[in-house]
Amino acid sequence: AGHPGPILALGDIAYPRGSSDEFRRCFDPVWGRFKGRIIPVPGNHEYGTPEAAGYFEYFGASAGTPGEGWHIRAIGAWRIIGLNSNLVGAAAAAQLRWLDAELAANRQPCTLAFFHHPRFSSGKHGNQDAMDAVWRLLAGGRATLVLAGHDHHYERFAPRDADGRADPNGTRSFVVGTGGARLYPVPPARAPSKFTANQSWGVLKLELSRDGYRWEFQPVESGAP
């Protein structure tokens, strides 16, 4: 509440099935007052309800077209791209074509992409190979930042190139799975991981400027329910 600006919700927003009732009873009483600031993407738990209907109903136009779930907007010097990492088959291919076209047409100096399943993670679920094609497009298109959730810990990686190799001029990624569900143990970090933490729930605060960005993980002050 003390920080203005957009709030990126990285999926698995209403447990355990993302139903309309769970959004109404569990999510809205706390986060509903910020609904106009939230830019969401769906997680796998949203698809516990067929076609993620509860998610698309609750967020409306902010969630993108039902059955697709990808969207884009400009915020200052940044292009903000939300992707649906649950898609498979023809729907996933359509999203890739859309992303490729958007990256080719992008004239913003900086790009942030976010979705639920992380391409790279040291956590319980680990690297998500299904997101490789998305990562290659983003890194090849010189995306600045990529955010994901799914694994219930916080992790920051060094920038990487399209092949996943450390590259100081590449794309930096974060895992921010600290929204309230049970935190997972974190195995030994996978290079080029720079920092991992699973001691507290919290949010990642980003300050985006025309020529760069700053980050700070902000833990909750008194635990989570």
Side-chain angles (χ1 to χ4, degrees), residues 6-191:
I7 300 167
L8 306 183
L10 307 181
D12 285 2
I13 298 167
Y15 264 61
R17 295 178 300 280
S19 67
S20 295
D21 185 58
E22 287 162 356
F23 273 102
R24 179 181 60 81
R25 291 188 301 104
C26 303
F27 183 80
D28 194 71
V30 176
W31 288 94
R33 59 183 170 144
F34 307 119
K35 188 175 179 180
R37 294 168 51 190
I38 294 174
I39 308 174
V41 292
N44 49 289
H45 278 268
E46 273 70 60
Y47 281 86
T49 295
E51 300 180 354
Y55 164 83
F56 285 107
E57 176 188 5
Y58 182 80
F59 286 111
S62 296
T65 302
E68 296 178 356
W70 59 76
H71 46 75
I72 190 167
R73 65 203 71 197
I75 300 177
W78 287 70
R79 183 66 57 95
I80 309 297
I81 301 175
L83 298 171
N84 186 347
S85 61
N86 301 275
L87 299 177
V88 296
Q95 178 174 248
L96 281 175
R97 291 192 297 270
W98 173 85
L99 176 61
D100 191 25
E102 289 292 342
L103 291 171
N106 183 22
R107 296 296 179 265
Q108 299 290 101
C110 303
T111 297
L112 183 157
F114 67 110
F115 42 85
H116 183 65
H117 298 84
R119 174 63 187 94
F120 303 108
S121 172
S122 299
K124 174 181 175 180
H125 296 302
N127 295 344
Q128 300 293 298
D129 293 342
M131 299 306 296
D132 184 65
V134 167
W135 174 266
R136 287 181 175 278
L137 281 180
L138 291 169
R142 311 301 294 176
T144 313
L145 291 173
V146 171
L147 310 180
H150 197 47
D151 266 328
H152 298 186
H153 72 285
Y154 169 74
E155 185 165 17
R156 170 172 52 87
F157 287 94
R160 303 179 191 240
D161 64 15
D163 293 318
R165 297 173 300 208
D167 177 356
N169 298 312
T171 299
R172 185 185 300 279
S173 63
F174 291 82
V175 175
V176 192
T178 51
R182 177 178 58 88
L183 297 170
Y184 293 163
V186 181
R190 302 178 180 182

